[in-house]
Every structure is written in C-alpha cells, then in structure tokens.
Amino acid sequence: MAERADRLAGCLARALAERPVLCDLISAQAAVLERNVSPQVAVQYKRDAIANAQALAGRVAAHLPELGAEGAFRFIAGTIMVTGAVWAHAHPSAAMLAAYEQDPSMAALRLDFATTLRETLEVLLAGLLARAARA
C-alpha cells in the first residue's frame, strides 16, 4: 500500500510538473481567478471543479482502495491546494532570486517543484491512509 501511494504521488507530481500553465492557473485560482465573478459563474465553476475532482478521486480510489471515496476526494482537494502553494514558492520573483544569490544561507528556501510536491503528496497520502485505517 505504501509503495502504491508513493508511486501515485510521484505520478501526480510529474504530471503536474509537465503542465506549467495548469500549475500557474491553480496557483492563481483562489487569490485571483475566483475574484470579481458573478455568482452564476462561481456556481458553475465550482460545480465543474467538484465533478472533475470526483472523477480524479475515482481514479485515485481505484489505485488505493484503502482510502475510500471520501479519502480519495480529500486527497485530490489537498493536491490542488498544495500544488498552488508549492508552485508559487518554487517560482520566486526576480527580487527573491537575487536575494538567494546574494545570501547562500537562503538556499534551503529554493524549492524544486516536482520534488517538493511529490514529497508533500506522499505525506498527505500517508496521513489519509492512516486515518482510513483507524476508521
């Protein structure tokens, strides 16, 4: 089970890393894209987002049935949120890049997107699987 979970985390991280425009959009979703829209647009967007998340959760549950449908959905929701945060931090501004160059002690703050996302998804899955086992 742990191996399947780690493979799933790695596959998702690689797939997202290969789609930088999608990652840009995910990182801008809540802070930018969901602002200044009509309630009708917001409702349709969220319905579509839920349907897409449920479809992805179904695929996750097929590979990790131990998660169950709810755990798989929570994993997909967490993946979306984490992807946006890691993407933003892994692609710092020019000023931050210059600061990192100026002070090598800040090297720990430079994140590799795919690696950090994979590791974070592994931890998220491990936690969800542990909770599912207790339930």
Side-chain angles (χ1 to χ4, degrees):
M1 177 178 66
E3 279 183 33
R4 284 183 286 119
D6 286 352
R7 279 196 312 267
L8 176 62
C11 287
L12 269 173
R14 279 190 303 280
L16 286 161
E18 292 170 359
R19 292 163 177 82
V21 174
L22 175 60
C23 293
D24 272 336
L25 290 170
I26 290 171
S27 72
Q29 174 185 331
V32 178
L33 300 177
E34 292 181 5
R35 308 285 179 196
N36 300 317
V37 296
S38 71
Q40 295 82 8
V41 169
V43 166
Q44 186 58 51
Y45 166 73
K46 287 298 186 180
R47 282 186 181 147
D48 291 344
I50 290 168
N52 288 330
Q54 287 173 331
L56 285 170
R59 298 194 69 178
V60 167
H63 292 285
L64 278 173
E66 299 88 349
L67 272 178
E70 183 181 335
F73 185 84
R74 290 175 71 192
F75 173 66
I76 292 302
T79 296
I80 293 166
M81 288 185 282
V82 166
T83 297
V86 173
W87 183 261
H89 287 280
H91 296 86
S93 67
M96 288 310 301
L97 287 172
Y100 296 154
E101 294 285 324
Q102 231 175 40
D103 187 346
S105 71
M106 293 186 195
L109 299 176
R110 293 291 312 269
L111 301 179
D112 176 73
F113 174 73
T115 301
T116 304
L117 183 61
R118 178 187 47 78
E119 291 170 348
T120 305
L121 295 180
E122 288 171 352
V123 170
L124 178 58
L125 274 174
L128 288 168
L129 286 166
R131 283 180 165 221
R134 284 195 317 246

